[in-house]
Amino acid sequence: MKLGSRFGWLWAAYAVSAAGTWLAFDAFALIALLVLHAGSAQVALLASAGPAVGALLAVPLGPWMEFRRKRPVMIAADLVRCAALLAVPAAHFLGVLGFGQLLLVSMVVAAADLTFTAASGAHLKSLVPRAGLLTATSRFESTTWTATVLGPPLGGAAVGLFGPVVTVAANALSFLLSALGIRAIDGAELAPERPPRDTTRPRTADLLDGWRHLLT
């Protein structure tokens, strides 16, 4: 089933960002070990910080995302990831890279990863007719699992050839390409219908709606 060029750009952007993410999957841990000579406790903290941020944001993100245009959110998430990751090789080459920066970047990237994924999935509904949603979703899932399976071993080879810092820079480039792909989607994105009250600014109550629902 043909899903159109607009979906094609979104799919390409998602694919290149997923490939970059999984290509550099172990790069931060290797930088911590090989460059910063971090201990096992620090490496464990680095590995858990990103998933912890994701767990905290996953539920509140839905209500926040619902009434916002998705493309600007995705582009912003890509640019945030690109800038945060580029700060790592820049700091390394300047000789000022520390474990604190690496930990902060991992959390920022994890939050932006989750934001991009949530926005891209929600944006499918406006790009693809209802009859094509199953096909579109299956292509996204296939892309995710292909990147998950092939990314780490290819990333290991890249780290062996170029080093973990260069691999992080390549990951940053993938997010820049993703942002350009989303920017290339033609046609204006309609603003979602808003409820009667003003939701132009995020409110604490909005961000806690998901967690409140689960706890109830």
Side-chain angles (χ1 to χ4, degrees):
M1 179 180 183
K2 290 187 177 181
L3 300 177
S5 61
R6 300 173 73 201
F7 169 77
W9 280 114
L10 179 64
W11 188 22
Y14 181 84
V16 72
S17 65
T21 296
W22 286 101
L23 187 72
F25 180 68
D26 292 324
F28 273 23
L30 290 173
I31 291 174
L33 287 169
L34 302 178
V35 178
L36 302 178
H37 307 292
S40 57
Q42 288 178 305
V43 174
L45 177 61
L46 187 63
S48 61
V53 169
L56 289 174
L57 288 179
V59 177
L61 190 62
W64 182 86
M65 187 76 68
E66 185 176 358
F67 301 110
R68 284 160 179 81
R69 288 186 174 92
K70 308 305 184 291
R71 272 184 245 166
V73 171
M74 287 186 284
I75 292 173
D78 274 334
L79 295 180
V80 166
R81 291 187 287 186
C82 179
L85 288 171
L86 284 178
V88 173
H92 172 66
F93 291 123
L94 291 173
V96 295
L97 179 63
F99 180 78
Q101 179 185 351
L102 204 61
L103 184 63
L104 177 62
V105 169
S106 71
M107 292 189 290
V108 169
V109 171
D113 281 344
L114 185 66
T115 303
F116 179 91
T117 302
S120 62
H123 194 40
L124 276 178
K125 294 185 292 184
S126 63
L127 292 184
V128 178
R130 181 180 294 272
L133 281 176
L134 180 60
T135 301
T137 304
S138 67
R139 291 181 184 179
F140 267 59
E141 286 297 316
S142 297
T143 301
T144 298
W145 285 107
T146 300
T148 303
V149 171
L150 297 181
L154 291 177
V159 167
L161 290 172
F162 307 110
V165 176
V166 175
T167 306
V168 168
N171 189 15
L173 178 60
S174 75
F175 295 132
L176 179 60
L177 293 175
S178 173
L180 293 174
I182 296 166
R183 184 69 179 82
I185 298 175
D186 60 355
E189 180 185 357
L190 298 178
E193 284 189 28
R194 296 183 181 275
R197 65 175 177 78
D198 180 26
T199 57
T200 55
R201 291 178 297 176
R203 305 190 317 170
T204 303
D206 294 332
L207 299 179
L208 296 178
D209 273 348
W211 284 114
R212 186 180 298 109
H213 175 74
L214 286 182
L215 291 174
T216 301

